[in-house]
Amino acid sequence: SMDDAVLYELNGAVGNLILNRPDRHNALGAIELEAMLSAFETVKHDPEIRVLVVTGAGDKTFSSGAALNDLNSGRITPDYFQSVMHELAVLPVPTIARINGNIFGGATELALSCDFRVGVEDGRLRVPAASIGLCYPAAGITRFVEKLGGNAPRRMLLASEALYADELQRIGFLDYLVPRAQLDERVEELALHIAGLAPLSTRAMKELILQAESGGIDGDRARELAQSCSESDDLQEGFAAQREKRSPRFAGH
């Protein structure tokens, strides 16, 4: 049912989105994708949230990507899958993929749609499109090329190669690589660190980074965002905390 296929909860300032179908390798079918979209709407309109962690349940698979039976039967289309990835990528808050195991197919894109990726040493990644006979969707290929550059997209797509964790870190897919026993600690450390930063700043800079990646920054918007940061109470708090040699307590205004 809809209510447990994907779980969303807010702990303090940290949102957690959990793909909760470990028995199906956290495959993303119609129900899961719809539940994700609804969680993204919640995130978009919640002023309390400062960072979102996206993870799979269990300890084998982060996600196996789009559910092939739902694709075959037409219950979901590649375009719909792409639109859900896009909504994740453009969320206003920083996002962390807690990659708790293996990644297959479109789950590669799920991870690339997050701002940060933390993976485990025994994880591997494979995009099986060419071994099934599919052509990966255009928007997805664009994301692979923009995010990874180099020859990694060819290795993933043209060679359908299995890439292991150390290699995934070397090509810049993983930002952080940890032993499985340290995954929770590392993700929590990163999430709490980001949650403690000035949210107007992180939201402003994320918006501008996304613009820069997709063709260029809108100068007027950049000035507007910079101004709202420089006129904020949080900036005064940031200066005060530096003077007083203490941690800042940012309120988000």
Side-chain angles (χ1 to χ4, degrees):
S1 71
M2 191 94 175
D3 22 76
D4 61 355
V6 173
L7 307 174
Y8 174 72
E9 56 213 23
L10 186 64
N11 299 326
V14 180
N16 290 282
L17 181 76
I18 302 152
L19 309 176
N20 194 34
R21 284 273 184 267
D23 52 315
R24 291 187 222 154
H25 296 284
N26 300 318
L28 305 174
I31 287 171
E32 289 76 21
L33 291 170
E34 199 177 321
M36 286 170 73
L37 282 178
S38 120
F40 297 158
E41 279 305 304
T42 304
V43 169
K44 253 189 268 184
H45 299 109
D46 184 354
E48 295 301 303
I49 184 176
R50 296 193 185 179
V51 58
L52 177 70
V53 176
V54 178
T55 190
D59 55 9
K60 289 207 168 43
T61 315
F62 172 64
S63 167
S64 54
L68 291 180
N69 49 352
D70 278 20
L71 272 177
N72 285 343
S73 65
R75 285 188 71 205
I76 60 172
T77 64
D79 283 353
Y80 180 56
F81 184 85
Q82 291 298 320
S83 71
V84 178
M85 297 306 106
H86 175 75
E87 288 300 321
L88 171 57
V90 300
L91 283 177
V93 296
T95 53
I96 300 169
R98 173 189 174 277
I99 303 172
N100 54 301
N102 298 328
I103 299 184
F104 300 106
T108 306
E109 201 179 343
L110 179 68
L112 285 173
S113 299
C114 293
D115 295 307
F116 305 95
R117 285 163 292 285
V118 186
V120 289
E121 286 173 349
D122 53 334
R124 67 180 196 281
L125 177 153
R126 184 162 175 258
V127 183
S131 64
I132 299 169
L134 292 170
C135 173
Y136 202 87
I141 291 180
T142 301
R143 193 181 304 283
F144 280 58
V145 171
E146 278 178 354
K147 282 303 198 74
L148 293 170
N151 216 42
R154 284 183 170 83
R155 292 180 65 184
M156 289 176 179
L157 296 165
L158 301 189
S160 190
E161 196 179 323
L163 298 171
Y164 291 82
D166 54 343
E167 184 82 344
L168 291 171
Q169 186 175 41
R170 199 181 62 73
I171 64 176
F173 178 85
L174 289 177
D175 298 298
Y176 310 96
L177 177 58
V178 292
R180 182 173 288 283
Q182 286 165 34
L183 180 62
D184 283 333
E185 189 187 342
R186 187 67 188 92
V187 170
E188 186 179 15
E189 182 190 3
L190 181 60
L192 292 177
H193 170 70
I194 293 171
L197 300 172
L200 290 177
S201 299
T202 56
R203 285 171 176 246
M205 291 190 284
K206 174 161 183 180
E207 185 178 324
L208 296 176
I209 286 172
L210 289 169
Q211 286 186 12
E213 282 176 340
S214 66
I217 290 180
D218 171 344
D220 291 339
R221 180 62 178 153
R223 280 185 288 278
E224 184 187 319
L225 288 168
Q227 190 176 354
S228 68
C229 289
S230 58
E231 291 170 356
S232 66
D233 297 342
D234 276 353
L235 181 63
Q236 297 312 311
E237 164 63 11
F239 285 146
Q242 277 202 325
R243 273 196 314 272
E244 295 156 22
K245 297 186 170 37
R246 60 173 176 83
S247 294
R249 289 180 297 275
F250 293 118
H253 49 75

